Amino acid sequence: MKKYFLTPLLLFVMMSLSIMAQKKDSRPNPFFQKYNTPFEVPPFDKIKPVDFLPAIKEGIKQQQAEIRKITSNPAAPTFVNTIVALEFSGDLLKRTRIVLDNLCSANITPELQAIQKEVSPLVSKQDDDISLNADLFKKVKAVFEKKAQFKLNIEQSKLLENTYRGFVRGGANLSVEKQNRLREVNQKISLLTIQFGENILNENKKFELVLDKKEDLAGLPQSIIDVAAEAAKAKGYENKWLFTLSKTSMIPFIQNAQRRDLREKIYKGYLNKGNNGDSNDNNGIVSQIVSLRVEKGNLFGFKSYADYILEETMAGKPENVYKLLMQLYTPSLATAKKEAAELQEMIKKEGNNFKLESWDWWNYSEKVD
């Protein structure tokens, strides 16, 4: 009898939870409506993490429909019905991706990390589905080859050129076999890049320089000490001071702290992020990304990824980049050596005999008149 009694009871509970969830999710998704803000700035105060995935999925769906409309248009390809139509496609997807990317860059959270991981393969596939759409590229190419007859202005000509080159550099002219591999490479690079950033974030969160002696704070401005005390209190460290790898915490500490060993500790903590041989180590990820980028460059006939990337830049090729860098490096190195000698002399005048290290540089530079 209990078996039959529990079935309707469970059904009732599930229905109740479903109704509660619907009420909870009744808030409109900000991405699905026009931003009612000055200059149409995204309403960050209304956007929640739960809004991103539905908006991106719907944005992909809408853009796919817009692409199909372009490719199925029986009229001859023109600048307006092909290039302009493509340029304005995917508005919802673009708006949502911009907000997500910027939030993840400025203030990423574990919840946003999880969303980013789920979204990454979806948008990578969408990008490739457009770049490798043979019917779409055929129309873009037709407009590009007949651009003279459209009498385009400078801006329109630039848009047409960028669109065509985007398809070519996206793999439109590659063989089907290479296109399939390109899809795999792009998706792997996307996921590895996200993992790289996640590991760095984890390293930032993990490092803590907790001080419990006032003498360890020597040289620090009172404002920095107060912030460190608040940070420690927020983490449950009573009557202590917490310094992290956040630049607003780390830089003032390196610039002002008299304790050289503590400056070294926080500096090396920052320098070695992702390079500690633990679960957050990025060495293997970097190796994979580099290898995949080389392969991507090779797929397009370039000897390196740098050659592939620089083809459409002012530099043109790696040799020119190195030439420019050396023009900057040589005089910069001479200046740095001169400054190092001055700082070393300052260390000596203070009665110290240690060699100037990178964690000393900012500290002693602050003392220069």
Side-chain angles (χ1 to χ4, degrees):
M1 293 295 293
K2 290 182 179 180
K3 178 180 179 182
Y4 295 101
F5 173 75
L6 287 174
T7 300
L9 177 61
L10 287 173
L11 181 61
F12 173 76
V13 171
M14 291 173 65
M15 289 176 64
S16 299
L17 290 173
S18 176
I19 293 172
M20 291 173 63
Q22 290 177 12
K23 290 182 178 180
K24 185 177 180 181
D25 294 338
S26 61
R27 177 185 59 86
N29 190 318
F31 292 116
F32 290 152
Q33 51 195 314
K34 185 177 181 179
Y35 299 155
N36 187 23
T37 57
F39 307 106
E40 295 188 14
V41 173
F44 290 100
D45 59 324
K46 294 187 173 84
I47 295 172
K48 307 297 180 185
V50 71
D51 297 325
F52 286 106
L53 191 57
I56 284 176
K57 287 184 175 179
E58 177 61 25
I60 289 174
K61 182 179 177 182
Q62 289 182 10
Q63 190 173 36
Q64 288 173 343
E66 290 163 343
I67 297 299
R68 285 195 297 271
K69 185 176 180 180
I70 296 172
T71 56
S72 63
N73 189 343
T78 66
F79 179 78
V80 174
N81 70 20
T82 301
I83 306 303
V84 174
L86 178 58
E87 177 68 13
F88 283 96
S89 71
D91 177 68
L92 173 59
L93 179 59
K94 292 172 185 175
R95 288 191 293 112
T96 309
R97 288 178 67 176
I98 287 173
V99 175
L100 178 60
D101 290 345
N102 278 279
L103 280 179
C104 288
S105 297
N107 188 31
I108 195 167
T109 64
E111 193 171 7
L112 286 177
Q113 279 182 336
I115 293 170
Q116 197 177 37
K117 276 188 174 181
E118 189 170 0
V119 162
S120 177
L122 298 179
V123 296
S124 177
K125 181 179 183 301
Q126 175 71 354
D127 290 341
D128 285 335
D129 283 347
I130 294 175
S131 296
L132 303 177
N133 186 318
D135 293 333
L136 182 59
F137 178 58
K138 184 178 179 181
K139 286 179 173 286
V140 170
K141 186 177 181 180
V143 177
F144 182 76
E145 291 177 342
K146 298 178 180 179
K147 57 185 175 182
Q149 75 180 44
F150 296 112
K151 298 180 180 179
L152 306 177
N153 59 32
I154 296 176
E155 292 80 8
Q156 292 170 330
S157 296
K158 184 61 175 175
L159 174 59
L160 174 56
E161 180 182 348
N162 287 347
T163 302
Y164 176 75
R165 286 177 61 82
F167 273 88
V168 174
R169 292 178 58 78
N173 281 330
L174 297 179
S175 66
V176 174
E177 181 182 0
K178 287 186 176 182
Q179 287 183 352
N180 290 336
R181 180 53 186 166
L182 179 63
R183 286 177 179 273
E184 296 174 356
V185 168
N186 285 339
Q187 189 165 118
K188 287 180 179 179
I189 291 176
S190 177
L191 290 172
L192 286 168
T193 302
I194 291 174
Q195 186 61 54
F196 180 95
E198 183 176 324
N199 288 348
I200 293 296
L201 181 63
N202 291 338
E203 291 278 73
N204 282 335
K205 291 179 179 179
K206 185 174 71 172
F207 181 92
E208 292 182 343
L209 178 61
V210 182
L211 305 181
D212 55 8
K213 298 177 182 178
K214 285 188 176 181
E215 52 265 34
D216 292 339
L217 304 172
L220 294 173
Q222 188 60 45
S223 60
I224 301 301
I225 294 174
D226 293 342
V227 171
E230 288 295 324
K233 187 176 181 181
K235 283 291 188 77
Y237 302 130
E238 294 296 331
N239 300 317
K240 295 181 181 181
W241 298 268
L242 172 63
F243 295 90
T244 69
L245 297 182
S246 166
K247 290 193 174 182
T248 56
S249 177
M250 178 194 71
I251 292 178
F253 190 89
I254 294 176
Q255 287 177 328
N256 299 285
Q258 292 180 9
R259 281 282 302 273
R260 185 171 186 256
D261 58 327
L262 296 179
R263 295 202 309 268
E264 178 182 3
K265 184 175 182 180
I266 197 169
Y267 181 86
K268 286 186 174 179
Y270 181 81
L271 191 67
N272 291 324
K273 287 189 296 185
N275 187 33
N276 295 302
D278 55 13
S279 59
N280 294 322
D281 195 279
N282 273 332
N283 285 287
I285 291 177
V286 170
S287 179
Q288 291 181 68
I289 291 175
V290 170
S291 296
L292 288 167
R293 284 180 170 179
V294 171
E295 183 180 356
K296 182 172 181 176
N298 294 162
L299 285 171
F300 286 94
F302 295 93
K303 63 180 181 180
S304 72
Y305 186 72
D307 287 285
Y308 166 71
I309 288 296
L310 294 172
E311 182 202 27
E312 59 176 1
T313 66
M314 186 180 295
K317 52 186 179 180
E319 292 80 4
N320 293 333
V321 174
Y322 283 115
K323 183 179 179 181
L324 175 61
L325 289 176
M326 291 306 297
Q327 290 174 357
L328 298 172
Y329 172 78
T330 302
S332 297
L333 180 60
T335 300
K337 286 182 177 181
K338 180 182 177 182
E339 291 179 358
E342 293 174 355
L343 297 180
Q344 188 68 59
E345 183 63 24
M346 188 181 299
I347 291 171
K348 182 179 179 180
K349 287 181 179 180
E350 287 185 349
N352 297 311
N353 60 1
F354 58 81
K355 180 183 177 182
L356 176 72
E357 297 288 353
S358 48
W359 50 88
D360 300 314
W361 198 290
W362 286 358
N363 185 270
Y364 279 89
S365 294
E366 287 292 304
K367 300 177 183 181
V368 176
D369 294 331

